[in-house]
Amino acid sequence: MQRPLLFLAALAAGCWLVAGRAAEPAQPRPALTVNATTPVRAPIAGRLPANGNVAAWQEASVGAEVGGLRLAQVLVNVGDTVRAGQVLARFATDTVQADVAQARAALEQARAGAAEAQANAARAQALADSGAMSAQQIQQYATGAQTAQAGVAAAQAALAAQQLRLKHTEVRAPDAGVISARQATVGAVVGVGAELFRMVRQSRLEWRAEVAAADLARIAPGTAAQVTTPGGAQVAARVRMLAPTVDVATRNALVYVDLPAHRELRAGMYVTGAFLLGEREALTLPLSAVVVRDGFPSVFTVGADGHVRLARVRTGQRQGERVEIAEGLDANARVVARGGTFLNDGDLVHVVPDAEPDQAPAPAVQAPAATKTK
């Protein structure tokens, strides 16, 4: 009789223990195992990014200085490098040479007439005391000599003008540079001032970067810059001058940057670049710690209770595998170094020892649990 009673008592005690354990609340499971890191103050090379067009430092328009003549030769083409004074094209000279010969003959005729008039004036002056000629006649001869001499000067000027026309039948480069456009065509008859060639003076190019008015004070003539070509090459450059005015529509100003000769740079390109503003201290985090939520950069901070909180930050300049945190984060905060993409605000995480701040964090993200505790 005692054995059944003892058995029933033991069974009741076991049931009581099982019921007590079932009544205990379940402990929440961590959503992820993560590395944590802290922001680090590090020197960052200050950079001001900008965009703009590549253009010629100066362009020269080479035109025809004579009109009504036929182009006989075109000696250069687009892309040719020329030196100052080099002949670019020639006009036919037959008509101009005939005009030069005619002007030269007219000069000889004027000189002969002037010599005769001078001799007549001298003879009249010699007879002035004899009374054989009146004073009026003597004055007429003297005036005729002066008029003939003026005719010689006019004929000389006409000859010089025709010789200048002959000289201008050769179109020469006003400066060294590279031909950027050509309108000259053999056989064409052009007028005075018609553009035949356009050239980039001294083959110099410049980057006309657009900079917000608020950033102009950070740039000065001589500031170093770096331009990235469409092919990805990095070209070192330097600021020559800042525009004296700001565009009223865009509130941007142009900064003129001298570019060195480079095979990947052409006038008319639209390129990106940056102005190098020196080093400064900044709060930085690994790139993997920054996630984008609702279109804004954010980080997950880890609280003392192991729960994460989403904090919106303002990022600055990127340098290597780290990024500047300009606003929104305390310098002593613990931040999820990797895996924030899988987290939500308030999640419980298991934190392993902090990652080295100056090294890339070790991969520590685990697969999410089957059931996540919100």
Side-chain angles (χ1 to χ4, degrees):
M1 188 65 182
Q2 292 182 351
R3 288 183 178 179
L5 291 176
L6 292 174
F7 174 76
L8 291 174
L11 181 61
C15 291
W16 180 81
L17 289 174
V18 171
R21 290 180 180 177
E24 292 179 359
Q27 296 295 324
R29 297 178 61 186
L32 289 176
T33 298
V34 298
N35 282 130
T37 186
T38 55
V40 174
R41 288 202 171 273
I44 287 185
R47 294 168 63 90
L48 177 63
N51 303 314
N53 296 311
V54 176
W57 165 65
Q58 285 184 3
E59 276 194 316
S61 177
V62 184
E65 297 186 65
V66 292
L69 299 179
R70 175 178 53 86
L71 265 173
Q73 290 180 301
V74 177
L75 304 177
V76 295
N77 210 334
V78 174
D80 290 348
T81 301
V82 299
R83 63 184 182 279
Q86 180 177 333
V87 178
L88 308 181
R90 288 190 177 94
F91 287 96
T93 60
D94 297 346
T95 303
V96 182
Q97 285 179 341
D99 291 340
V100 169
Q102 184 177 359
R104 186 174 285 112
L107 174 61
E108 294 300 327
Q109 185 178 2
R111 283 174 175 170
E116 181 181 2
Q118 188 68 35
N120 291 336
R123 286 193 294 270
Q125 187 65 36
L127 296 174
D129 295 334
S130 64
M133 298 183 68
S134 65
Q136 182 180 3
Q137 290 176 320
I138 295 173
Q139 183 62 37
Q140 287 177 346
Y141 280 115
T143 302
Q146 292 177 353
T147 302
Q149 193 62 39
V152 171
Q156 286 176 333
L159 176 60
Q162 295 300 332
Q163 289 174 332
L164 187 61
R165 284 188 66 214
L166 181 61
K167 177 182 177 182
H168 288 164
T169 57
E170 289 187 337
V171 181
R172 296 180 178 272
D175 198 358
V178 60
I179 302 297
S180 58
R182 191 198 81 174
Q183 289 79 36
T185 304
V186 173
V189 178
V190 300
V192 177
E195 185 179 273
L196 302 177
F197 304 95
R198 186 172 291 273
M199 62 181 294
V200 178
R201 290 190 60 195
Q202 301 178 18
S203 303
R204 283 177 58 183
L205 298 176
E206 65 183 12
W207 179 40
R208 297 176 182 176
E210 294 187 15
V211 176
D215 293 323
L216 280 179
R218 303 169 63 187
I219 306 172
T223 299
Q226 190 176 62
V227 175
T228 303
T229 69
Q234 302 289 327
V235 180
R238 195 162 295 278
V239 175
R240 186 177 80 254
M241 63 169 288
L242 280 68
T245 59
V246 175
D247 189 284
V248 295
T250 63
R251 302 301 178 188
N252 291 337
L254 291 180
V255 178
Y256 297 89
V257 180
D258 283 331
L259 295 174
H262 195 279
R263 61 185 181 85
E264 293 189 22
L265 289 174
R266 298 286 188 277
M269 283 182 172
Y270 187 78
V271 299
T272 61
F275 298 97
L276 309 182
L277 306 178
E279 286 193 350
R280 56 188 175 84
E281 289 286 327
L283 206 63
T284 65
L285 280 176
L287 282 171
S288 57
V290 180
V291 297
V292 177
R293 293 293 169 91
D294 299 326
F296 296 96
S298 307
V299 298
F300 281 100
T301 60
V302 183
D305 58 356
H307 289 81
V308 295
R309 295 290 180 267
L310 184 66
R312 183 180 296 178
V313 296
R314 183 170 68 86
T315 58
Q317 185 177 321
R318 173 178 170 177
Q319 183 163 302
E321 294 300 317
R322 301 189 70 83
V323 62
E324 176 188 2
I325 305 299
E327 287 181 4
L329 188 65
D330 186 82
N332 298 318
R334 296 180 70 201
V335 178
V336 174
R338 183 175 297 176
T341 307
F342 302 104
L343 294 174
N344 292 313
D345 191 24
D347 280 351
L348 178 66
V349 296
H350 174 63
V351 181
V352 297
D354 292 355
E356 291 294 331
D358 57 347
Q359 298 177 359
V365 178
Q366 298 179 355
T371 59
K372 184 185 293 186
T373 303
K374 294 288 184 179

